Amino acid sequence: MANNHFNYKTVYAFAREMHPKTEKFDVQYGTAGFRAKASTLGYVMYRMGLLAVLRARYKKGCVGVMITASHNPEPDNGVKLIDPCGEMLEQSWELWATKFANVADDELVDVIHEIVSKLDIEMTQRVEILVGKDTRPSSPSLAKALCDGILALSGKPIDYGIVTTPQLHYFVYCKNSKHEYGIPTEEGYYTKLSNAFKKLRGESFNNGNYFNKILFDGANGVGAKKIKYFQECLGDSLKIEMYNDELIGTGKLNFMCGADYVKVKQTFPNGVPQITEQRCCSVDGDADRLIYYYLDENKKCHLLDGDRIAILIAEYLKEMVESTGLEVDLGLVQTAYANGASTDYITQKLKVPVSFACTGIKYLHHEAQKFEIGVYFEANGHGTIVFKKEFKEKLKLALENTSLSNEQHGAIKKVLTIIDLINETVGDAISDMLLVETILHSKGWSIQDWEKKYTDLPNRLMKVSVKDRTQITTTNSERTCIKPDGLQDEIDTIVARYKAGRSFVRPSGTEDLVRVYAEAISQEEADQLSLEVALKVYDMADGIGPKPSL
Ligand SMILES: CC(=O)N[C@H]1[C@@H](OP(=O)(O)O)O[C@H](CO)[C@@H](O)[C@@H]1O
Ligand SMILES: [Mg+2]
């Protein structure tokens, strides 16, 4: 057994006296870690501090812990662990996280023994745990609980204060890559991204139908704080007009604004001036999601969501790589929530292969890593691009190849700069925005030009409350329901009655409910289809509360 130098007494005493388990119900490490009402999370944070130290020792590197509930309301909070390469916590450890969170206070030490001995964890290393938090008022006290857990096992917490989730992922990877990926400071992050952006933009800031002004909805959260640093670094190359900044406004985090609100309600956010045809974007509460939109002359809000962002990026990268003359295996990853019209466009027009993954960035990320260039986005605007190490090396090697033309060398350098603009560790709203702005600028496109590529199928997302959402199980990247028996047959029968109809159901990983998605040829039909399916779920899966209605 590995040598144990930690002080069991401290672990238990801290648990009992400062962070006792207050909740009787079990919590589960879900799609995005633990999420709940902030007031119930103190002991979970403490235990995640313990687990983070164990994970860091096991991986022999530093790990991150982000305190955030993303797009959820302000009274909520949550926690997720970041692995040494900047990715989400490896799935097999999610089970440990759930176990750690749910055992009784006096069993905590036993569970630590269990994991240490099962995984042969060397307990003498002094590991660093990078801690970040969003702007929620509950975050500082939860961070204190987390740090108590880290200290109880003699880890070293490094508090980055208020940062976006993707910034923390970036810092973790920078540290573990020994700065090869970048400098693990906020300044290092701003400098890397803004230098790449300015290099790509060149001297002329406008081009064709593209104008260098964007309205930015910060969701009254950390994105609003951080975009100000970018604005300073970017100067006049991009004029970001910022709205929904809790410091100057009175708005509440994610309340009637932010990327989730705009996407789910398919509507223009509060707090942003309604200027016809003006390009706007929203980020969510921890700035890892991005949605674009504009208002037409009839005040109708047109959304350009994650599907469109993914397509814009994939098409651009495909063209860029083609001009280098290098062979590349480029693919796109979507979830079942991707609009059917986007999938048709990618596969039929762009001729780029599409893979499907389960909901949750961790699944998309790993699927995307199978390609040399893997573009992945959830329809809600969460995504990034990953490049295989071998591909980056291939690019660098090609720069030394004298048989390639000057144009090809220029294109290779440009692709390398684009890679610098991207936060490959996880979806990053600000980095994604800078990339979208770069592409629109390079093509000379307005947001309307971008939208013209294809027409989305009208769609509708609904929620159904049921007694036990784990009763519903799915397969085929969540597109087919296995349990309860017979539900999928019923859905198929309903869908068959709708032109271009598609619908699926799955239990949410972040909320205690079942989600129903539907799309069809018109909005009325998409609404009707989702309602019919939602009612079926309610009937066949022990619905609770009022029946679903539109
Ligand atoms: C339909 C939808 O938007 N689902 C979201 C939501 O997951 P659910 O498991 O559906 O609750 O939150 C996840 C974490 O932010 C995000 O990855 C995912 O896309
Ligand atoms: Mg988020």
Side-chain angles (χ1 to χ4, degrees), residues 54-63 83-85 90 93 125:
L54 295 163
R55 180 71 183 157
R57 287 194 179 132
Y58 178 67
K59 295 296 283 185
K60 301 198 185 325
C62 84
V63 304
D83 261 353
C85 48
E90 185 189 303
W93 274 64
Q125 300 165 62

Side-chain angles (χ1 to χ4, degrees), residues 31-32 35 70-71 260 289 337 359-361 378 380 382 461 506-511 515:
T31 320
R35 254 180 227 178
S70 181
H71 58 280
D260 192 61
R289 288 195 200 174
Y337 292 104
T359 304
I361 280 306
E378 292 190 304
N380 61 30
H382 195 172
L461 194 57
R506 58 173 278 279
S508 159
T510 59
E511 291 175 76
R515 295 197 200 281

Side-chain angles (χ1 to χ4, degrees), residues 370-382:
K370 295 180 182 161
F371 298 103
E372 273 185 298
I373 302 181
V375 180
Y376 71 84
F377 269 86
E378 292 190 304
N380 61 30
H382 195 172

Side-chain angles (χ1 to χ4, degrees), residues 241-256:
E241 271 186 23
M242 203 201 40
Y243 299 94
N244 292 328
D245 167 11
E246 51 143 12
L247 293 178
I248 51 174
T250 50
K252 255 201 222 138
L253 180 67
N254 296 325
F255 183 66
M256 294 182 81

Side-chain angles (χ1 to χ4, degrees), residues 82-140:
I82 302 168
D83 261 353
C85 48
E87 296 173 359
M88 304 275 194
L89 178 67
E90 185 189 303
Q91 250 167 295
S92 62
W93 274 64
E94 291 182 4
L95 300 174
W96 284 111
T98 300
K99 189 163 187 175
F100 265 71
N102 294 320
V103 292
D105 291 325
D106 58 1
E107 289 165 13
L108 207 42
V109 173
D110 294 340
V111 183
I112 295 175
H113 273 308
E114 188 190 335
I115 189 171
V116 167
S117 93
K118 269 201 180 141
L119 302 179
D120 201 17
I121 299 174
E122 166 72 66
M123 289 298 284
T124 50
Q125 300 165 62
R126 180 100 166 114
V127 284
E128 292 179 340
I129 312 297
L130 312 193
V131 178
K133 45 185 139 15
D134 69 15
T135 55
R136 288 176 160 78
S138 57
S139 291

